[in-house]
Amino acid sequence: MIFLRSVVFETSRIFLTILFSMIAICTYPMHPRDRYRVISIWARLTVSAARIFCGIKYKVVGKNNIPKNPSIILSNHQSAWETLAFQIIFPPQVWVLKKELLKIPFFGWGLAMTNPIAIDRGSTFASLKQILRQGIEKLKDGWFIVMFPEGTRISPDEKRSYQIGGAWVAHKTGALVVPVAHNAGFLWKKNSFIKRPGKITVSIGEPINPNGLSPEQLNQKVENWISEEKIAIGSSLTNNS
């Protein structure tokens, strides 16, 4: 049954991705904020499809911790689910992502219309300069910035050192940092076709003011909070599934 439900979901996801990639291209003349409103409908529909066909529900803890002013969201990264759900949970946002993602047929074309900060991971220093330069512009224009300091999707039981980019930008701009932890990888595993039913918990921590903290100290503070919160919500998946 889980396999058949996953087949139906993936079929719907492919259809929605192709459809919205075409719609996204047509939004090119629109203001970036209007483009975002249209394109993010794809994320809402896909998350709904995951709930209907695969039984993947979610709850948000600490939603009142989301600042009113544009901030930097730093989250663990376990699956594709959070890249979709964050568009529902958080205010309008841009993502820091690998430039090569924009070359993926259909998906990449639509992604390019969302105004991302697309970096070349081959040059760390150049990437940091680009993230800072564009990050200042995005924050000034009212966008939240979403970054995954682990750098890539990792399994719930894996651990990887956090990259300093997000903390460095926060240190330079003074923007608040919002730490986020979730356990989506238990249901929507990395590179897995099978999607399992259950309830994902997304926990949003209190914003961290970067003033008085070095990028290294800020990065460590975020990593510590997410690591501890992952442990706290990891068991809640079983209780709510």
Side-chain angles (χ1 to χ4, degrees):
M1 179 61 77
I2 290 178
F3 176 78
L4 291 177
R5 294 175 74 176
S6 297
V7 169
V8 174
F9 168 70
E10 287 298 340
T11 301
S12 68
R13 184 161 73 129
I14 291 171
F15 170 77
L16 287 171
T17 300
I18 294 175
L19 173 63
F20 271 87
S21 67
M22 299 295 101
I23 293 175
I25 292 173
C26 294
T27 66
Y28 178 76
M30 300 170 64
H31 186 278
R33 190 62 62 94
D34 294 327
R35 285 206 307 264
Y36 178 85
R37 291 192 184 97
V38 173
I39 298 171
S40 63
I41 295 174
W42 168 74
R44 293 178 180 275
L45 291 175
T46 305
V47 169
S48 295
R51 175 178 54 80
I52 295 169
F53 299 128
C54 300
I56 298 178
K57 304 175 183 178
Y58 72 94
K59 67 175 183 179
V60 180
V61 178
K63 193 165 186 177
N64 59 317
N65 287 326
I66 301 176
K68 294 182 179 179
N69 294 326
S71 306
I72 298 173
I73 299 166
L74 297 183
S75 170
N76 62 312
H77 196 16
Q78 295 181 354
S79 72
W81 181 87
E82 58 267 22
T83 64
L84 302 169
F86 282 12
Q87 297 177 56
I88 303 171
I89 297 169
F90 295 99
Q93 64 211 240
V94 298
W95 308 283
V96 176
L97 47 80
K98 298 176 290 186
K99 186 181 295 183
E100 53 263 36
L101 289 176
L102 304 182
K103 300 178 182 179
I104 299 175
F106 298 109
F107 173 78
W109 306 339
L111 192 61
M113 293 295 102
T114 63
N115 207 26
I117 300 175
I119 62 172
D120 181 359
R121 294 178 64 186
S123 176
T124 303
F125 182 69
S127 295
L128 282 174
K129 289 178 63 178
Q130 179 187 352
I131 294 171
L132 177 60
R133 184 180 69 255
Q134 294 188 27
I136 292 173
E137 295 174 359
K138 306 298 185 187
L139 290 168
K140 189 180 299 183
D141 288 340
W143 297 92
F144 278 63
I145 300 175
V146 177
M147 299 180 70
F148 300 107
E150 290 163 316
T152 188
R153 291 174 292 174
I154 66 172
S155 301
D157 57 345
E158 289 184 66
K159 184 173 177 57
R160 178 174 297 207
S161 296
Y162 279 30
Q163 298 174 1
I164 203 168
W168 189 70
V169 173
H171 173 77
K172 292 290 187 180
T173 62
L176 293 176
V177 171
V178 183
V180 179
H182 63 85
N183 51 13
F186 286 100
L187 303 182
W188 187 318
K189 295 183 181 295
K190 174 185 177 182
N191 299 326
S192 176
F193 177 82
I194 300 297
K195 311 295 186 294
R196 300 189 178 280
K199 181 178 286 186
I200 294 167
T201 297
V202 178
S203 181
I204 303 171
E206 294 184 6
I208 302 173
N209 192 324
N211 293 336
L213 297 173
S214 69
E216 292 76 15
Q217 290 172 326
L218 178 57
N219 201 44
Q220 190 61 57
K221 193 168 185 176
V222 170
E223 182 175 355
N224 290 345
W225 187 90
I226 292 178
S227 296
E228 291 174 5
E229 194 66 10
K230 279 172 58 182
I231 295 173
I233 67 176
S235 60
S236 70
L237 182 72
T238 303
N239 296 332
N240 290 295
S241 61

